[in-house]
Amino acid sequence: VSDTLKQLRERFGEIYDLSGALTIVEWDQLVMMRPRGAELRGEVVGTLSTILHQKWIDPAFGELLAKGAEETADRPDADPDKASIALATRERDRLVRIPTELASEMARHGAVAYGIWVEARKNNDFASFAPALEKHLDLHLQYIDRFPKTEHPYDVSLAQYDLEYTTAELNELFAELKRGFRPIIDLVSANPGAANDDVFLGHFPKATQAAMFNEFSLACGARADVWRLDETVHPFETAPSMDDVRITTRYYENDIASGFFGTLHETGHGLYEDGVDRALARLPIGHGGTHDLHESQSRMIENQVGRSRAFFDYALPIFQRYFPEKYGNVDAETLYRSANVMRPSLIRVEADEATYNMHIALRFEIEQELVLGNLKIKDLPEIWSVKMQELIGLTPPNDADGVLQDVHWSGGAFGGFVGYTLGNVIGAQLWPLINADLPDLDAQFAAGEFLPLREWLREKIHKHGRTYGTRETMRRIGIERIDPEPLRASIAAKAQEIYG
Amino acid sequence: VSDTLKQLRERFGEIYDLSGALTIVEWDQLVMMRPRGAELRGEVVGTLSTILHQKWIDPAFGELLAKGAEETADRPDADPDKASIALATRERDRLVRIPTELASEMARHGAVAYGIWVEARKNNDFASFAPALEKHLDLHLQYIDRFPKTEHPYDVSLAQYDLEYTTAELNELFAELKRGFRPIIDLVSANPGAANDDVFLGHFPKATQAAMFNEFSLACGARADVWRLDETVHPFETAPSMDDVRITTRYYENDIASGFFGTLHETGHGLYEDGVDRALARLPIGHGGTHDLHESQSRMIENQVGRSRAFFDYALPIFQRYFPEKYGNVDAETLYRSANVMRPSLIRVEADEATYNMHIALRFEIEQELVLGNLKIKDLPEIWSVKMQELIGLTPPNDADGVLQDVHWSGGAFGGFVGYTLGNVIGAQLWPLINADLPDLDAQFAAGEFLPLREWLREKIHKHGRTYGTRETMRRIGIERIDPEPLRASIAAKAQEIYG
């Protein structure tokens, strides 16, 4: 190993460790820390972030990366040094474009705007949040200005989230999705009584839910000596390293579905981190992949696995074991139908598979217009209502259930929403390929055997970490272009089965 | 505020935050992390420690400290800037004396030797640990060599732990303790049947213990929005800041005493951190005080409070509420006598108040001889047996219950043990002063009122953080010299009461 590569690996390791420290400190803040600690914890996060940023933008690091790229030019793209240098160079190029003052103003305003948003949402009062959002938009436009001109300025917003698709490509994708899902939404809206989810309502003590969710997570492939499952307000997954994976969920004691599907979703994210090749530890590529690929894994465990008919043959006895009174007389078919209730609703995070992507389309369209300057912040509640009616057939009765529902904009995050839909689309494209390789998948699920699926995902996707981006990962599996048809077809079939 | 002080405060804040991050990351490793994460967590700890060390030894920081000391020379010693500069200067002077290679070899060998010690202890085989300990001693002697000559080389070992007393002074103290405790140990050894702790044995489910311990901790003054109580193998207290205090305990389901008194002990430590003036946050003085003062607080809550007769008038109904079958027919007097069983034993961490300091005397004497080169590592088991017999009247049947029992030496830690005894002595010296100011203390304890005591400790000790050292803190309260007599007298009285 050359001296350059040795020095690069040391710097990669340092950055990996500092990011890991930040991950732990932020997880602790959300999961363990008592409320009084928040203010001084903010200082810890600020100091660690600043040191990490200094490590990234250090000019000597830039020179080493350039030298390393030269030295490894002849190696295959999958070579861990070469792939790490490429990824770190991209990330560093992005970071050095942003002046420190802009970066810290964005972070500072995020903290302020979050507090304003919480209040505004509680009071159903978008007007009080509008000036803070206005400022976020202004800062975001300054951010976009630091990058070379793109066909659409929103392309820069997307690239921020590792998304490899342009605004134009995604507009095409969403046009297809809107066309394709219209009949599905019409079908389920016309026949709302065909299914209900009463079977998930009742009384479910928190500790019993936690034990049951943990059992499902382990069955899906979580390793007990690596994973933790804890409680938070908003479920998430995070991993300081592939040897230390943490998922969280929430427990509604009157409704078991939210925590249950939330746990499966985060388990999907966790399997990605858990599956990264251990040899990639302390390298930039030593974490799970891009935002949209990551989301394809979480949505796959939640929906293709956890909402499949076969899954409930395995799950029913477990539900019965933990909650014998509630599930003693329930059958697997009922659980399956209840897990697949489709019912247009106002809130994205509670949306079913039929309408979920329409919620994303709405945000995607609004964000584009904001970035183009075609839309005034003050008009957001109105445009939100119009689009909700058009896409989902509902009108929010107030701002809290409409334009104020998501946390994202309070942090100035524009451009990431489409990753959720891309995840849905990609997962559905992978599914026929997985089934071709594993023809017994349904029988395996019914028997509670999820390790063959995990091994497939690990071999084809997880183990490579961030070696490849989304397009290249899919190309290597045999998928040449993003295509919403498998997703549409699978949801249409389910809708037909339950609501037809 | 001058530019120098502004820059110093920024650097102090950065160091405080990085230390806080390390505290969280290490707490997480012991309390939350799954075992597989250990190796990569070690890298995170190493990277954070290295960055922290670089911040400390930065020559520009040294120059700022010198300038700041000049600028604040005319201020009172208690001025937060002046006190912080003084403390940071002392700490920095210590750190810059140690070459990076020596520091990292000490840390690295600590990790290796710990593993060897665990095995050696399990196999009762001191010989297999001896070479690792030999190397630790050699490194420690190199450490001592980096400091100006002192009367006794062990003075440097002590100073490492903020201890302000010389080897000579402590030898005098221990001579008095040995003389004074001899009759107490003889008394309780002669009459072993006078008391027993059967009342703490039985079946105590972990969750019930946890709920009860937490109630006691809160009653003693722990704030619910600041503190956590968790489970570990070895109880400890740690605090990223005065707004975030964490204690741990252990649960033996067949013996409630260990977790109970452990919780009280760590609560005492936590109250010190919790009580530091919030205005000192992000300054070097913004943590609890010296090692021996800290130990005086933990031993006070454990022993002067938790083993007092009045305490059990308050505690009995709580024991009965959590464990009605076990404690329904027990009275407070029985609990009190059981909490004060004195019985010479081999293991320091299980020692009663009569013999505890003799365990420390043994280690203190051995460490001095090691540092002087008068004692060979291979002879440690023999000298241990001889001294145990002389001081406590017992001979360990094997190395695990003798020379291999403590973790400290596996980390190369020489010099810290005496802090425990100093804590006992100081706590007993404070007690008559506290009782003079709070004449109703017993009645308050019996009524479960511990906040007047907490306020006294906060006002006289806690709120100052590390503004003053041990001697100055005591001088300000009215104690001019360290004196073992109050400790001896109080234990002698208890021994007379129960064993007389």
Side-chain angles (χ1 to χ4, degrees):
Chain A
V1 179
S2 78
D3 198 51
T4 303
L5 290 185
K6 233 183 262 168
Q7 286 182 55
L8 274 172
R9 284 184 195 169
E10 251 171 59
R11 283 174 184 258
F12 290 156
E14 202 174 38
I15 286 174
Y16 191 96
D17 294 336
L18 278 168
S19 307
L22 252 177
T23 300
I24 298 155
V25 160
E26 292 178 326
W27 174 87
D28 181 271
Q29 177 162 11
L30 292 169
V31 182
M32 293 294 157
M33 192 191 72
R34 299 295 184 214
R36 181 82 65 157
E39 190 184 336
L40 289 172
R41 180 60 58 90
E43 300 282 357
V44 173
V45 170
T47 293
L48 284 180
S49 305
T50 301
I51 291 171
L52 188 56
H53 191 253
Q54 286 162 349
K55 299 281 176 197
W56 270 108
I57 65 172
D58 179 5
F61 184 38
E63 285 159 30
L64 276 172
L65 284 170
K67 264 210 229 168
E70 259 177 58
E71 281 184 25
T72 57
D74 294 339
R75 301 192 187 179
D77 287 348
D79 173 83
D81 286 315
K82 185 178 183 179
S84 290
I85 290 166
L87 181 63
T89 302
R90 277 206 311 281
E91 178 64 9
R92 185 173 181 281
D93 286 351
R94 197 177 72 76
L95 289 171
V96 292
R97 285 179 185 278
I98 315 305
T100 314
E101 310 81 65
L102 178 57
S104 74
E105 197 172 354
M106 287 167 76
R108 257 204 317 276
H109 185 56
V112 173
Y114 174 78
I116 298 172
W117 169 75
V118 168
E119 279 304 300
R121 190 180 180 210
K122 199 163 53 184
N123 303 324
N124 259 319
D125 177 18
F126 178 75
S128 66
F129 177 57
L133 185 54
E134 195 92 60
K135 179 160 181 190
H136 264 318
L137 180 59
D138 179 60
L139 291 168
H140 185 63
L141 294 176
Q142 290 180 44
Y143 174 92
I144 292 176
D145 273 347
R146 309 302 301 194
F147 290 84
K149 269 239 156 342
T150 43
E151 195 193 327
H152 195 298
Y154 193 67
D155 291 349
V156 177
S157 316
L158 295 168
Q160 205 187 343
Y161 291 92
D162 280 329
L163 298 168
E164 298 167 9
Y165 303 90
T166 64
T167 309
E169 288 174 291
L170 292 173
N171 273 322
E172 249 179 75
L173 178 76
F174 275 102
E176 272 192 74
L177 283 166
K178 283 159 73 174
R179 261 197 313 277
F181 275 76
R182 184 73 265 165
I184 305 177
I185 296 171
D186 288 343
L187 173 69
V188 306
S189 300
N191 197 6
N196 70 65
D197 48 11
D198 293 355
V199 77
F200 295 126
L201 307 179
H203 178 65
F204 308 94
K206 198 186 274 199
T208 318
Q209 287 192 55
M212 186 178 92
F213 295 170
N214 204 43
E215 181 169 340
F216 280 110
S217 189
L218 292 169
C220 288
R223 290 180 294 163
D225 61 345
V226 170
W227 291 52
R228 288 189 57 88
L229 167 64
D230 295 279
E231 180 182 7
T232 38
V233 181
H234 302 287
F236 67 95
E237 178 274 342
T238 194
S241 76
M242 64 281 281
D243 288 347
D244 187 358
V245 174
R246 288 152 193 230
I247 61 172
T248 69
T249 194
R250 62 178 150 211
Y251 305 102
Y252 295 139
E253 295 209 317
N254 63 341
D255 178 356
I256 201 170
S258 174
F260 178 68
F261 292 108
T263 301
L264 293 180
H265 181 96
E266 305 309 337
T267 297
H269 281 303
L271 289 176
Y272 205 157
E273 299 295 331
D274 179 296
V276 175
D277 188 343
R278 185 57 167 71
L280 307 186
R282 303 188 78 231
L283 292 176
I285 57 173
H287 283 293
T290 52
H291 173 35
D292 47 355
L293 274 180
H294 230 298
E295 201 63 21
S296 77
Q297 301 304 290
S298 56
R299 298 290 281 180
M300 183 181 290
I301 302 299
E302 177 188 352
N303 293 330
Q304 274 101 325
V305 177
R307 287 192 163 93
S308 70
R309 178 63 187 82
F311 178 81
F312 286 103
D313 283 336
Y314 147 72
L316 176 65
I318 299 177
F319 274 76
Q320 289 174 331
R321 173 151 46 81
Y322 282 96
F323 301 102
E325 277 189 41
K326 175 76 188 172
Y327 293 107
N329 295 316
V330 171
D331 59 27
E333 180 68 19
T334 303
L335 281 179
Y336 164 68
R337 295 175 71 93
S338 306
N340 286 286
V341 163
M342 298 181 196
R343 182 172 49 209
S345 68
L346 293 164
I347 306 295
R348 176 184 61 87
V349 296
E350 295 166 8
D352 54 64
E353 290 187 273
T355 53
Y356 189 91
N357 302 299
M358 300 304 107
H359 288 274
I360 301 299
L362 176 151
R363 288 153 179 79
F364 174 56
E365 291 169 8
I366 287 179
E367 289 189 350
Q368 283 180 62
E369 297 301 305
L370 283 176
V371 162
L372 284 174
N374 293 342
L375 191 56
K376 296 273 159 282
I377 294 285
K378 75 167 170 45
D379 298 328
L380 281 187
E382 204 198 317
I383 193 86
W384 189 284
S385 290
V386 172
K387 282 186 180 286
M388 271 301 281
Q389 190 53 247
E390 171 199 324
L391 291 164
I392 295 178
L394 296 172
T395 300
N398 56 49
D399 294 342
D401 291 334
V403 64
L404 285 172
Q405 70 181 261
D406 292 313
V407 69
H408 302 57
W409 288 346
S410 81
F414 303 102
F417 278 118
V418 295
Y420 302 132
T421 284
L422 283 167
N424 289 331
V425 169
I426 292 167
Q429 284 189 268
L430 291 172
W431 203 239
L433 303 183
I434 294 171
N435 277 273
D437 286 349
L438 304 170
D440 293 334
L441 212 51
D442 269 351
Q444 287 168 1
F445 288 0
E449 289 164 16
F450 303 98
L451 296 192
L453 170 64
R454 188 190 73 175
E455 287 317 300
W456 192 99
L457 295 170
R458 181 166 281 186
E459 199 51 40
K460 303 281 185 178
I461 302 176
H462 300 171
K463 75 172 186 187
H464 304 295
R466 307 194 61 189
T467 303
Y468 311 109
T470 302
R471 286 186 202 264
E472 180 62 13
T473 298
M474 289 171 64
R475 206 195 51 72
R476 288 168 46 89
I477 297 171
I479 298 173
E480 290 298 333
R481 64 169 212 92
I482 193 100
D483 175 8
E485 177 50 23
L487 179 66
R488 190 210 60 79
S490 70
I491 311 297
K494 255 193 198 174
Q496 191 58 43
E497 181 189 352
I498 298 173
Y499 290 87
Chain B
V1 178
S2 77
D3 198 51
T4 304
L5 290 185
K6 235 183 261 170
Q7 287 182 55
L8 275 172
R9 284 183 195 170
E10 251 171 59
R11 284 176 182 256
F12 290 156
E14 202 173 36
I15 286 174
Y16 191 95
D17 293 336
L18 278 168
S19 308
L22 252 177
T23 300
I24 298 155
V25 159
E26 292 178 325
W27 174 87
D28 181 272
Q29 176 162 11
L30 292 168
V31 181
M32 293 293 155
M33 193 191 72
R34 300 296 185 213
R36 182 83 63 153
E39 190 184 336
L40 289 172
R41 180 59 58 91
E43 300 283 356
V44 173
V45 170
T47 293
L48 283 180
S49 305
T50 302
I51 291 171
L52 188 55
H53 191 252
Q54 286 162 350
K55 299 281 176 196
W56 270 109
I57 65 172
D58 178 5
F61 185 37
E63 285 159 30
L64 275 172
L65 285 170
K67 263 210 232 168
E70 259 176 58
E71 279 186 26
T72 56
D74 294 339
R75 300 190 187 180
D77 288 348
D79 172 83
D81 286 313
K82 185 177 184 180
S84 290
I85 290 166
L87 181 62
T89 302
R90 277 206 309 281
E91 179 64 9
R92 187 175 180 280
D93 286 350
R94 197 176 72 77
L95 290 171
V96 292
R97 283 179 186 279
I98 315 305
T100 313
E101 312 82 65
L102 178 57
S104 73
E105 196 173 354
M106 288 167 75
R108 256 202 318 275
H109 185 59
V112 173
Y114 174 78
I116 297 173
W117 168 74
V118 168
E119 279 305 300
R121 190 179 180 208
K122 197 163 54 184
N123 303 325
N124 258 320
D125 176 19
F126 178 76
S128 65
F129 176 58
L133 185 54
E134 194 92 59
K135 179 159 181 191
H136 263 319
L137 180 60
D138 179 59
L139 291 169
H140 185 62
L141 294 175
Q142 290 179 46
Y143 175 93
I144 291 175
D145 273 347
R146 312 298 304 193
F147 290 83
K149 268 237 153 350
T150 43
E151 197 194 324
H152 194 300
Y154 193 68
D155 291 348
V156 177
S157 316
L158 295 168
Q160 206 185 342
Y161 292 92
D162 281 330
L163 297 168
E164 299 167 9
Y165 303 91
T166 64
T167 309
E169 288 174 293
L170 292 174
N171 273 322
E172 248 178 74
L173 177 77
F174 275 101
E176 271 192 74
L177 283 167
K178 284 159 73 174
R179 262 196 313 276
F181 275 76
R182 185 74 265 165
I184 305 177
I185 296 171
D186 289 344
L187 173 68
V188 306
S189 302
N191 196 7
N196 69 64
D197 48 13
D198 293 353
V199 77
F200 294 126
L201 306 179
H203 178 65
F204 308 94
K206 198 186 273 198
T208 318
Q209 286 192 54
M212 186 178 93
F213 295 171
N214 204 43
E215 180 169 341
F216 279 111
S217 189
L218 292 169
C220 288
R223 290 180 295 164
D225 61 346
V226 170
W227 290 51
R228 288 189 58 89
L229 167 62
D230 296 279
E231 180 182 8
T232 38
V233 180
H234 301 288
F236 66 96
E237 179 275 340
T238 193
S241 76
M242 64 283 281
D243 288 346
D244 188 359
V245 175
R246 290 154 192 230
I247 62 173
T248 69
T249 194
R250 63 179 148 211
Y251 304 103
Y252 295 138
E253 294 207 318
N254 64 341
D255 178 356
I256 200 169
S258 173
F260 177 69
F261 291 108
T263 302
L264 293 180
H265 181 95
E266 304 309 336
T267 297
H269 280 304
L271 290 177
Y272 205 157
E273 299 294 331
D274 180 298
V276 175
D277 189 341
R278 184 57 168 72
L280 307 186
R282 303 187 78 230
L283 291 175
I285 58 174
H287 283 292
T290 51
H291 173 35
D292 46 356
L293 274 181
H294 230 299
E295 201 64 21
S296 78
Q297 301 304 289
S298 55
R299 298 289 282 180
M300 183 180 290
I301 301 300
E302 177 187 352
N303 292 331
Q304 274 100 327
V305 177
R307 287 191 163 92
S308 70
R309 178 62 188 78
F311 177 81
F312 286 102
D313 283 336
Y314 146 72
L316 175 65
I318 299 178
F319 274 76
Q320 289 174 331
R321 174 151 46 81
Y322 284 96
F323 301 101
E325 277 188 40
K326 175 77 189 171
Y327 293 107
N329 295 317
V330 170
D331 58 26
E333 180 69 20
T334 303
L335 280 179
Y336 164 69
R337 293 175 74 92
S338 306
N340 287 286
V341 163
M342 298 180 195
R343 181 171 51 207
S345 68
L346 293 164
I347 306 295
R348 175 185 59 88
V349 297
E350 295 165 9
D352 54 62
E353 291 188 273
T355 52
Y356 189 92
N357 301 300
M358 299 304 105
H359 287 272
I360 301 299
L362 176 152
R363 288 151 179 81
F364 174 57
E365 291 169 10
I366 287 178
E367 288 189 351
Q368 282 180 64
E369 297 300 305
L370 283 176
V371 162
L372 283 175
N374 292 343
L375 191 55
K376 297 271 158 281
I377 293 284
K378 72 168 173 46
D379 298 329
L380 281 187
E382 202 198 319
I383 192 86
W384 189 284
S385 290
V386 171
K387 283 186 180 287
M388 270 302 279
Q389 190 53 248
E390 172 199 323
L391 289 165
I392 295 178
L394 297 173
T395 300
N398 55 50
D399 293 343
D401 291 335
V403 64
L404 285 173
Q405 68 182 264
D406 292 311
V407 69
H408 304 56
W409 288 346
S410 81
F414 302 102
F417 278 118
V418 295
Y420 302 132
T421 285
L422 284 168
N424 289 332
V425 170
I426 292 168
Q429 284 189 269
L430 291 172
W431 203 239
L433 302 184
I434 294 171
N435 278 274
D437 285 349
L438 303 171
D440 293 334
L441 214 49
D442 271 350
Q444 287 167 1
F445 288 0
E449 289 163 16
F450 302 99
L451 296 192
L453 171 63
R454 189 191 74 175
E455 288 316 300
W456 192 97
L457 295 170
R458 182 166 281 186
E459 198 52 39
K460 303 281 188 180
I461 302 175
H462 301 171
K463 75 172 187 185
H464 304 294
R466 306 193 62 189
T467 303
Y468 311 108
T470 302
R471 286 187 202 263
E472 180 61 13
T473 297
M474 289 171 64
R475 203 195 52 72
R476 289 168 46 88
I477 297 171
I479 298 172
E480 291 299 334
R481 64 170 212 92
I482 194 98
D483 175 9
E485 177 50 22
L487 179 66
R488 190 209 60 78
S490 69
I491 311 296
K494 257 194 199 176
Q496 191 57 44
E497 181 189 351
I498 298 172
Y499 291 88

